[in-house]
């Protein structure tokens, strides 16, 4: 309990970054709640249909609003085995509040969860920069603000989907991994099992990220037969059996049920141009929103490939990737960097090479985009004053640009009148 209190406590040096984070997160969470609150205050089948006609946040799904309003196994259980069960306490609390107030409070409860996850993701990201990579306070704050101003990180902390919860959990485990590397400690079996259960329970592929963290931290001992069996094989089998078992008990009609493997294979597409996807979506849209088809869904007439109308945006993307590649070279001997590269390699393999969810790969940014600013952070370990100040100015300028650009377009969307 004492350890948990220390982790959640805001340090003295984190007070101003915390104020910035809360202001940033709460202001836009207020906008999205106030936009749709009239449709949720008196929740009905009609108001839900009106809500779905107006809710277009790229490929993100507002399933959690539905789950909290009337609890059910609304998610794809194979990909999100424990997520519906994790949401049950909030759905139960919402049912009590609705009886007391006659108002559906799903938006407020989900908003509270998003604020908590986004705020502590911000703090733990900042702590990775300070405690693990060990850069100074100013570049640590700027890089954290830069990360949260990236297009699909900003959207992730707004939408009623599972990605913000994933972001918080991944950043937290990364922080713990970095601190263990600093202290020369290893993950224990129960630590690995708990982290795997939490992350894989939210999104099954996140379990691979946990195994990567444990492997890099523990080294060769990760493959010791008893450790590997208890920390990897048994939890993985249990999670798969649970997911498939619950999936088989869902109340779909026999004609609607598909083989779980066939359902997941439907997400794989081999036709998209990998080069264009990398340039416009994986690295492009994830970091900078395209103005054309803004927040469009590929199921609602958005093309898979959308190009920037301002050529300078390709220059911004190229500059970020140049800093990223330079950071890789500078930190090439750091084990924490190896972990970051492993996470990036896994996501590129899954989404680009295999083509899983490649048509809307940008919505997966929360699972990997943190790799870029964390790698750039190693450039701030230089003792060359002119280079250091140049890097500070560059990150500050890009952060301000992203805040103004994304802030304008998201504010415009969230204040646009509802279509009845």
């Amino acid at each position: 309990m004492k350890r948990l209190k220390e982790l959640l406590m805001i340090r003295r040096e984190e007070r101003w970054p915390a104020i910035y984070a809360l202001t940033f997160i709460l202001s836009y969470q207020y906008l999205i709640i106030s936009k749709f609150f009239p449709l949720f205050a008196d929740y009905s089948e009609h108001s839900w249909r009106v809500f779905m006609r107006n809710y277009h946040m790229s490929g993100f799904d507002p399933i959690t609003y539905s789950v909290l309003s009337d609890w059910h196994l609304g998610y794809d259980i194979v990909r999100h085995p424990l997520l519906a069960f994790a949401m049950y306490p909030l759905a139960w609390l919402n049912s009590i509040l609705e009886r007391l107030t006659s108002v559906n409070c799903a938006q407020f409860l989900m908003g509270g969860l998003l604020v908590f996850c986004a705020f502590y993701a911000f703090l733990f990201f900042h702590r990775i920069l300070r405690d693990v990579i060990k850069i100074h306070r100013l570049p640590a704050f700027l890089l954290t603000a830069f990360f949260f101003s990236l297009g699909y990180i900003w959207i992730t902390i707004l939408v009623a989907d599972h990605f913000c919860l994933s972001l918080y959990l991944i950043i937290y485990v990364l922080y713990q991994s970095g601190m263990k590397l600093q202290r020369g400690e290893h993950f224990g079996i129960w630590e690995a099992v708990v982290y795997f259960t939490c992350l894989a329970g939210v999104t099954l592929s996140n379990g691979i990220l946990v195994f990567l963290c444990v492997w890099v931290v523990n080294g060769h001992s990760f493959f010791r037969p008893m450790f590997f069996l208890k920390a990897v094989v048994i939890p993985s089998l249990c999670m798969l059996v649970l997911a498939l078992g619950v999936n088989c008990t869902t109340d779909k009609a026999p004609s609607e049920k598909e083989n779980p493997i066939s359902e997941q294979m439907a997400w794989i597409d081999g036709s998209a141009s990998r080069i264009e996807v990398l340039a416009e979506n994986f690295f492009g849209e994830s970091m900078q929103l395209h103005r054309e088809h803004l927040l469009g869904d590929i199921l609602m007439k958005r093309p898979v490939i959308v190009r920037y109308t301002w050529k300078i945006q390709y220059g911004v993307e190229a500059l970020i990737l140049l800093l990223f590649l330079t950071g890789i070279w500078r930190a090439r001997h750091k084990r924490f960097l190896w972990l970051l590269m492993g996470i990036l390699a896994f996501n590129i393999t899954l989404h680009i090479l295999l083509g899983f969810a490649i048509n809307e790969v940008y919505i997966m940014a929360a699972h990997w985009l943190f790799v870029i600013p964390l790698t750039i952070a190693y450039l701030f370990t230089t003792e060359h004053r002119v280079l250091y100040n140049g890097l500070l100015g560059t990150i500050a300028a890009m952060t301000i640009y992203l805040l103004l650009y994304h802030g304008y377009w998201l504010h415009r969307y969230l204040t646009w009148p509802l279509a009845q």
Side-chain angles (χ1 to χ4, degrees):
M1 196 67 183
K2 181 181 178 182
R3 175 66 174 159
L4 179 62
K5 184 179 179 181
E6 290 176 355
L7 285 170
L8 297 180
M9 186 179 298
I10 299 172
R11 303 172 184 173
R12 181 182 295 274
E13 72 166 48
E14 293 172 342
R15 289 176 183 174
W16 284 110
I19 290 172
Y20 170 87
L22 278 177
T23 303
F24 173 78
I25 295 164
L26 287 172
S27 59
Y28 277 79
Q29 196 59 236
Y30 165 77
L31 288 177
I32 197 167
I33 290 176
S34 60
K35 180 180 178 73
F36 295 113
F37 178 70
L39 301 178
F40 278 89
D42 186 16
Y43 183 71
S44 66
E45 185 176 341
H46 171 71
S47 65
W48 178 256
R49 286 199 299 267
V50 175
F51 167 71
M52 290 303 293
R53 282 200 296 271
N54 284 273
Y55 187 91
H56 301 296
M57 298 291 283
S58 188
F60 293 103
D61 296 317
I63 297 172
T64 304
Y65 284 152
S66 173
V67 171
L68 296 186
S69 299
D70 183 14
W71 189 85
H72 60 287
L73 297 173
Y75 307 99
D76 183 333
I77 297 299
V78 175
R79 290 209 311 278
H80 314 292
L82 301 178
L83 188 54
F85 303 104
M87 293 298 167
Y88 181 79
L90 289 180
W92 174 76
L93 178 58
N94 185 45
S95 66
I96 294 175
L97 292 173
E98 191 168 8
R99 284 197 292 269
L100 292 175
T101 65
S102 299
V103 173
N104 178 21
C105 298
Q107 269 196 295
F108 297 108
L109 293 172
M110 186 60 194
L113 178 62
L114 290 170
V115 169
F116 175 88
C117 291
F119 178 71
Y120 277 100
F122 188 101
L123 283 190
F124 282 116
F125 187 93
H126 186 268
R127 289 176 188 176
I128 291 173
L129 296 171
R130 294 287 288 137
D131 300 343
V132 178
I133 302 177
K134 295 187 180 299
I135 63 175
H136 297 301
R137 291 169 62 178
L138 181 56
F141 169 69
L142 283 176
L143 279 169
T144 308
F146 168 75
F147 175 56
F148 278 80
S149 67
L150 295 173
Y152 272 77
I153 299 302
W154 197 330
I155 297 173
T156 290
I157 66 177
L158 283 179
V159 296
D161 211 322
H162 66 276
F163 289 97
C164 188
L165 181 54
S166 286
L167 177 66
Y168 161 66
L169 291 171
I170 293 170
I171 295 295
Y172 175 76
V173 173
L174 271 178
Y175 174 70
Q176 293 291 355
S177 301
M179 294 309 297
K180 286 184 181 296
L181 287 171
Q182 292 282 329
R183 297 189 292 256
E185 299 175 355
H186 285 182
F187 282 107
I189 291 174
W190 281 111
E191 277 185 297
V193 170
V194 169
Y195 289 152
F196 172 80
T197 302
C198 292
L199 270 80
V202 173
T203 297
L204 197 60
S205 59
N206 285 347
I208 303 297
L209 306 188
V210 174
F211 294 150
L212 283 170
C213 289
V214 178
W215 179 16
V216 171
V217 171
N218 288 25
H220 295 301
S221 64
F222 175 75
F223 294 102
R224 288 177 181 169
M226 288 307 297
F227 184 93
F228 194 80
L229 177 66
K230 293 179 180 179
V232 179
V233 177
I234 293 176
S236 299
L237 290 175
C238 289
M239 189 66 72
L240 284 172
V241 169
L242 173 67
L244 294 174
V246 173
N247 186 68
C248 290
T249 63
T250 54
D251 55 359
K252 293 181 181 178
S255 59
E256 296 177 338
K257 288 190 176 182
E258 291 186 49
N259 184 301
I261 297 176
S262 300
E263 290 182 358
Q264 305 313 311
M265 291 296 289
W267 283 76
I268 294 177
D269 183 356
S271 62
S273 167
R274 269 43 178 182
I275 300 299
E276 289 186 311
V277 167
L278 281 171
E280 302 291 352
N281 292 347
F282 191 77
F283 291 117
E285 178 83 351
S286 297
M287 297 191 290
Q288 297 178 92
L289 301 180
H290 292 80
R291 288 192 300 157
E292 291 189 357
H293 300 280
L294 182 73
L295 300 179
D297 191 334
I298 60 168
L299 300 179
M300 300 286 290
K301 300 181 180 179
R302 183 199 190 274
V304 174
I305 301 298
V306 178
R307 305 191 189 284
Y308 289 113
T309 53
W310 294 344
K311 299 302 181 184
I312 190 65
Q313 291 181 285
Y314 290 108
V316 173
E317 181 182 341
L319 177 58
I320 294 172
L321 292 179
L322 178 61
L323 292 173
F324 171 57
L325 293 173
T326 308
I328 292 174
W329 176 254
R330 179 167 182 81
R332 62 193 182 278
H333 300 304
K334 302 287 186 181
R335 286 175 67 188
F336 189 71
L337 180 81
W338 302 348
L339 172 56
L340 297 178
M341 293 302 100
I343 292 172
L344 179 60
F346 169 70
N347 279 276
I348 288 177
T349 300
L350 178 64
H351 300 303
I352 304 301
L353 299 182
L354 297 180
F356 184 82
I358 192 172
N359 289 341
E360 50 182 11
V361 68
Y362 34 81
I363 73 171
M364 308 294 176
H367 296 159
W368 67 271
L369 194 51
F370 49 83
V371 167
I372 289 179
L374 289 177
T375 302
I376 292 174
Y378 282 102
L379 297 177
F380 286 97
T381 59
T382 181
E383 296 180 0
H384 195 288
R385 182 53 52 184
V386 174
L387 178 59
Y388 183 89
N389 290 336
L391 287 168
L392 273 180
T394 300
I395 297 299
M398 287 195 296
T399 302
I400 292 170
Y401 154 69
L402 290 169
L403 285 171
L404 293 175
Y405 178 72
H406 292 141
Y408 170 77
W409 288 110
L410 287 173
H411 183 272
R412 182 178 178 179
Y413 169 78
L414 294 173
T415 54
W416 200 263
L418 293 173
Q420 299 298 321

